[in-house]
Amino acid sequence: MQQHYQLSFFEKLIRVDLKHQALKLEQPDKNFFTYTTNDVISQKDKMLHGFGQYLYDLGNNAQVGWYIQLHQHQLVLLMDQIATSLSVPTIMTMDVPSNEVTWTNLFKIIYSNLAELLTFLEREFFRYLDVDCKIPMTYLLSAQDGLVFELESLQNDFMKRGIDEDLLSIILLPLNDFLEAEHVSCSVSYHQLFYLKEYKKKLRVLLENHKAESNLTDKLEDLLQYLNFNNIHYFRYWSKSVTKDIEELPTIREKLDRLIFLQKKISQTVIKPRFIYSKVHPPLQNQLQSWLADEIVYQKEKGSLFNNGHIADELSRWKDFKVVTIFSVPQLGNIIKLLLDSGLYLNKNKTELLDFFSYFFTTVKQDNVSSGSLRSNFYKDNAAVSKAVREILMDLVNHSHKTINIFAYCVFTYLLLQL
């Protein structure tokens, strides 16, 4: 396979001939400049014409992949070796032609021909490329050019739409890291560059399509899952946010309902195929599902411990018990409202209070009191019902003279005054 390695000419030229000549001469000899330029172009054209035929002769996909990646890595290495001899402004104007016989222009010509070979591989044999190969430093500089403005624009647009600042700093982290990467010691891979370009484009599309009535944070979270944004900082932010949400729910049943809903939602989210932010961490969907599964087990265990304790025994004891009263449903609703409005009942949640009475209280006329019926009578003003309740309370007042103390008497008198 070694005899078919096609970059030997460029390796000798860059690592030996140019280095030797540059040490001897301040600027290249015109003849050296001319024949070197011609040789570079001729060798490049030869490779372009012969590459496809040789790969066809190889036949085996594994050998083809190895051969493409070998030349990919070596081309990047040679391009970077040339670029280290050039200033950043010169690198950024690599495609600008010049007829001056200088080392700079000769380096630019050699670099441009190597870049043409690499572009050919990227275009014609994309599926064989090593996406973990580092990109040439010119790719990094080109991608960084203008990124400061794009980053500032994205940040301002997200802030205008009220995105949480902590979440915003996390989603912009890949762009900031890329912007701060040093071109001389560039370690950014093709994979990272491909991801960044798609990521940046999708964030912009999300902002452009956002409607004021929709929740941008929810849309952003869906997008991050679609793009498999398995950044460890985002996972920590997400898990902390979900933990806070479920802690605010009053019952274990509600916590489990919320967790199971999130589990279903995440499992049904569409994921971009073969796309991931970090290849060294598990996919984001796997991380979220694993965390939810652990949290669901924890909540169930906590519920089990609660159900096996003394409180559960007490609840089971009163499961079928009901307080039987002489009140009708309208009278029960009326007197509950009276006690609540008078400040004798301190419960703030009226719905919970009415649900409790409908479950644990019954009347001689109606075995089961529905919460809807009780709620309806709670809010209904009925003179006949109020009169009946007043008569019951008067009987209690009269009875209090004989059986209860003066405090109870005052309470009943106060209630009567409220009617």
Side-chain angles (χ1 to χ4, degrees), residues 66-275:
W66 176 86
Y67 189 76
I68 292 294
Q69 292 180 18
L70 170 65
H71 285 77
Q72 175 195 4
H73 279 267
Q74 288 305 108
L75 281 168
V76 172
L77 182 61
L78 291 171
M79 289 167 67
D80 281 355
Q81 286 180 334
I82 289 288
T84 53
S85 302
L86 302 171
S87 65
V88 171
T90 301
I91 294 174
M92 297 301 291
T93 59
M94 197 70 77
D95 296 331
V96 179
S98 174
N99 295 323
E100 292 185 59
V101 180
T102 62
W103 287 120
T104 296
N105 284 331
L106 184 56
F107 291 158
K108 288 173 69 174
I109 290 170
I110 296 170
Y111 188 96
S112 296
N113 282 272
L114 290 171
E116 189 176 342
L117 288 170
L118 182 60
T119 301
F120 171 76
L121 294 184
E122 293 169 352
R123 183 181 66 248
E124 301 295 331
F125 306 101
F126 178 80
R127 69 190 184 100
Y128 293 108
L129 293 179
D130 179 9
V131 294
D132 294 320
C133 173
K134 69 183 291 293
I135 59 174
M137 64 172 68
T138 51
Y139 285 26
L140 176 64
L141 289 170
S142 177
Q144 287 176 331
D145 187 36
L147 184 58
V148 173
F149 174 77
E150 290 183 84
L151 183 59
E152 184 178 350
S153 175
L154 285 171
Q155 183 171 2
N156 290 336
D157 288 345
F158 274 114
M159 288 181 68
K160 286 177 184 176
R161 289 163 173 80
I163 287 294
D164 178 72
E165 289 187 12
D166 291 337
L167 176 58
L168 181 58
S169 66
I170 292 171
I171 65 173
L172 296 182
L173 185 62
L175 301 176
N176 280 309
D177 288 346
F178 187 85
L179 195 59
E180 294 172 2
E182 291 287 341
H183 71 278
V184 176
S185 56
C186 168
S187 60
V188 177
S189 68
Y190 275 81
H191 166 260
Q192 290 170 300
L193 181 61
F194 294 156
Y195 187 95
L196 186 76
K197 287 182 176 180
E198 181 70 5
Y199 180 73
K200 183 175 59 174
K201 182 177 75 174
K202 293 296 186 184
L203 288 178
R204 176 51 60 193
V205 170
L206 175 67
L207 286 168
E208 291 174 353
N209 294 335
H210 172 64
K211 295 180 174 58
E213 63 273 12
S214 62
N215 189 313
L216 183 59
T217 299
D218 289 344
K219 296 292 183 182
L220 179 58
E221 290 184 350
D222 290 343
L223 176 62
L224 295 177
Q225 290 181 45
Y226 171 74
L227 296 177
N228 211 344
F229 186 65
N230 60 337
N231 179 286
I232 186 64
H233 299 292
Y234 175 66
F235 170 73
R236 289 171 179 166
Y237 173 89
W238 179 90
S239 57
K240 181 179 178 180
S241 176
V242 174
T243 299
K244 181 181 178 183
D245 287 345
I246 63 176
E247 283 179 349
E248 293 176 354
L249 297 174
T251 67
I252 291 179
R253 179 67 264 170
E254 290 174 289
K255 297 178 194 291
L256 285 171
D257 284 345
R258 177 63 178 164
L259 292 168
I260 292 170
F261 169 76
L262 288 174
Q263 193 176 52
K264 178 183 78 74
K265 179 184 175 184
I266 290 169
S267 68
Q268 293 176 347
T269 300
V270 177
I271 308 298
K272 187 175 176 65
R274 298 182 297 279
F275 205 74

Side-chain angles (χ1 to χ4, degrees), residues 355-372:
D355 286 346
F356 173 84
F357 272 96
S358 70
Y359 187 86
F360 286 104
F361 278 69
T362 185
T363 74
V364 291
K365 297 180 180 179
Q366 192 169 331
D367 291 338
N368 294 310
V369 179
S370 72
S371 58

Side-chain angles (χ1 to χ4, degrees), residues 366-410:
Q366 192 169 331
D367 291 338
N368 294 310
V369 179
S370 72
S371 58
S373 175
L374 188 59
R375 189 175 298 110
S376 175
N377 284 284
F378 178 87
Y379 291 106
K380 185 184 297 183
D381 289 329
N382 187 307
V385 172
S386 296
K387 180 181 178 183
V389 170
R390 189 182 299 110
E391 290 174 354
I392 293 172
L393 292 177
M394 280 301 300
D395 288 341
L396 289 173
V397 169
N398 295 329
H399 186 67
S400 68
H401 286 294
K402 303 175 183 178
T403 59
I404 59 177
N405 58 30
I406 189 63
F407 173 76
Y409 175 80
C410 292

